[in-house]
Amino acid sequence: MNSWFSLLPWPCRRYRDSHSRIVAVIFACFFFILLHFLLKWESGDTDIFVSLKIEIPDDFKPVRITKREYFPSSGTPKIPKIIHQVWKGIFVPPEFVSWIKSWNKHHPDWEYWLWTDKSARLFIADRYPHLLNVYDHYPENIRRADAFRYIVLYEYGGLYADMDMEALGSFLPLTLKYSCFIGKEPYEHPIIDTNFDELLINALMGCRQKHPFMKLLINNLASFSRLWHYLDSTGPHYVTLMYRQYKSSISLEKDDDTVNISPSEYFYPTIDPAKFRYMFNKCQNTQKLSELQIHACMNLKYKSLPENKFDPVTIAFANHHWYHTYLKTMSTVLTGYKSIFDIVPRVNIYKDLEE
């Protein structure tokens, strides 16, 4: 019996003398072990892709960057030093506190604005009353949050960041070089999902005031408002489509009318852990995949191999934690919630709205 118990992990072996509980202990231990591996699977451990049943050719060219482009170190910023974030109210969940603080830590001389549901609607009623009906009738809050970020960047300029974005350093280099920028989702996301290449994501954007691309996004909100899915009506699919129209149809007479498409490694250095199991399973059956999807699966495996390991966070300006706030039902009991005034004492709220 002792030799058999020696095969179990330490937490289980400690009960080797409790013969009356052997069955319960064994069951509990193996359940613990199974749970450990399931959690590891879902936690973002990319090592699982090493075991993909897919061969990588010798001439394979991975899609990734391992160093930043050149950025100026001095000059006049092309984008105002303003950080915008959007949340339901002035009390935010404890999970967000350190991420919010990171923006102020790396940008101590920037303005910080929190836009609550109430202050955002008030702003639209004041400045964009013709969009208020569209805004009010969106079926989900995520659509309102999407739409508002384009409006506030057009009106004020600055940097918009979702609450699950964490600043890893200063964004000043980007603002010195570009008048508007937006990042791409990790290469594998849209390809393995839907065979769609180069999807833009609106979780983090920087733009100068009155930029024509933000104006285009605002002008088409009403036309796309009735589309079934938020991705198409206000989200990443919408932004990607509008950018393609903008790039092909608008004469860019000035350099500050351009939009820089930043590599995913700058703002989204890790792929979404919630997609790991799905992507792994899909990549195991290459007969049902397109050539583009097969390449994306190879890319997953290539980056996971020990000899190709590289931590993209080392070159990132920000890290997206893929919290999926819009899919979660947040507790109405503010246990552990903190006031934004305690997190960022110098916070600005439109018209000093009290809640």
Side-chain angles (χ1 to χ4, degrees):
M1 179 66 70
N2 287 339
S3 61
W4 192 91
F5 261 87
S6 67
L7 298 176
L8 295 175
W10 176 83
C12 305
R13 295 200 306 269
R14 63 191 294 247
Y15 293 105
R16 61 183 178 274
D17 295 324
S18 303
H19 298 291
S20 62
R21 299 182 180 179
I22 286 177
V23 174
V25 170
I26 293 173
F27 176 82
C29 288
F30 279 103
F31 176 79
F32 173 82
I33 294 169
L34 178 62
L35 181 62
H36 167 76
F37 283 106
L38 286 174
L39 290 175
K40 184 177 181 182
W41 183 283
E42 297 291 350
S43 68
D45 187 352
T46 56
D47 289 344
I48 65 169
F49 295 116
V50 173
S51 60
L52 279 174
K53 298 175 183 178
I54 189 170
E55 296 294 327
I56 300 177
D58 293 337
D59 60 349
F60 179 75
K61 296 181 179 179
V63 178
R64 68 170 180 177
I65 65 168
T66 56
K67 63 179 181 179
R68 288 183 181 178
E69 65 195 90
Y70 164 78
F71 287 102
S73 58
S74 61
T76 303
K78 298 181 179 181
I79 295 173
K81 292 182 176 182
I82 308 173
I83 297 166
H84 302 278
Q85 294 197 289
V86 175
W87 188 242
K88 298 176 178 63
I90 63 170
F91 292 95
V92 298
E95 296 93 326
F96 298 160
V97 172
S98 64
W99 302 336
I100 294 171
K101 287 183 176 180
S102 72
W103 292 102
N104 293 277
K105 172 185 175 182
H106 294 291
H107 307 87
D109 60 335
W110 290 38
E111 291 183 30
Y112 179 87
W113 285 75
L114 180 72
W115 297 90
T116 65
D117 286 353
K118 290 182 179 180
S119 63
R121 189 184 183 281
L122 181 61
F123 183 84
I124 290 176
D126 287 347
R127 305 283 188 93
Y128 289 82
H130 64 287
L131 286 179
L132 191 59
N133 186 60
V134 171
Y135 185 82
D136 284 343
H137 285 86
Y138 277 134
E140 303 111 351
N141 282 333
I142 182 61
R143 302 195 197 215
R144 282 181 277 275
D146 279 340
F148 185 75
R149 67 192 66 183
Y150 313 136
I151 291 172
V152 77
L153 283 181
Y154 182 74
E155 286 294 317
Y156 288 95
L159 180 71
Y160 168 83
D162 273 356
M163 283 293 194
D164 59 353
M165 296 292 307
E166 177 186 8
L168 301 178
S170 174
F171 272 67
L172 182 62
L174 282 155
T175 68
L176 291 172
K177 188 171 184 178
Y178 300 119
S179 61
C180 192
F181 58 83
I182 185 171
K184 291 187 289 188
E185 281 222 29
Y187 170 72
E188 298 87 359
H189 276 194
I191 295 175
I192 295 177
D193 274 347
T194 58
N195 202 36
F196 185 94
D197 194 9
E198 293 194 341
L199 180 67
L200 306 187
I201 179 171
N202 60 353
L204 190 149
M205 302 178 290
C207 228
R208 69 168 174 82
Q209 189 180 27
K210 307 298 182 183
H211 195 283
F213 178 54
M214 290 297 131
K215 182 65 172 175
L216 180 68
L217 289 170
I218 295 169
N219 288 346
N220 284 278
L221 288 172
S223 299
F224 284 75
S225 63
R226 294 186 180 276
L227 293 184
W228 175 74
H229 205 284
Y230 75 89
L231 292 172
D232 302 315
S233 67
T234 57
H237 295 173
Y238 173 72
V239 174
T240 304
L241 176 63
M242 290 297 103
Y243 172 72
R244 291 180 176 180
Q245 290 185 13
Y246 181 77
K247 186 177 179 181
S248 63
S249 63
I250 293 182
S251 175
L252 303 179
E253 298 178 356
K254 300 181 296 182
D255 286 343
D256 63 355
D257 284 346
T258 60
V259 179
N260 176 260
I261 306 303
S262 301
S264 61
E265 288 85 356
Y266 282 2
F267 315 137
Y268 314 98
T270 59
I271 59 178
D272 184 354
K275 294 180 179 288
F276 272 44
R277 178 177 296 185
Y278 166 77
M279 292 195 295
F280 181 88
N281 291 336
K282 195 162 184 178
C283 288
Q284 288 291 71
N285 189 2
T286 57
Q287 293 181 345
K288 295 184 178 181
L289 302 181
S290 69
E291 290 186 9
L292 184 62
Q293 288 174 316
I294 291 173
H295 189 278
C297 292
M298 290 180 180
N299 213 62
L300 281 175
K301 183 172 182 177
Y302 177 92
K303 294 188 297 184
S304 301
L305 295 172
E307 62 269 26
N308 301 322
K309 280 282 190 177
F310 171 77
D311 185 1
V313 172
T314 59
I315 62 170
F317 289 92
N319 187 23
H320 192 204
H321 290 276
W322 304 106
Y323 193 76
H324 300 296
T325 304
Y326 57 94
L327 296 177
K328 299 179 187 290
T329 302
M330 307 302 288
S331 173
T332 55
V333 180
L334 303 183
T335 304
Y337 279 44
K338 287 197 172 185
S339 167
I340 191 65
F341 294 101
D342 294 331
I343 303 168
V344 187
R346 57 187 177 85
V347 62
N348 296 286
I349 296 183
Y350 186 62
K351 291 191 173 180
D352 293 325
L353 187 69
E354 294 289 341
E355 301 197 8

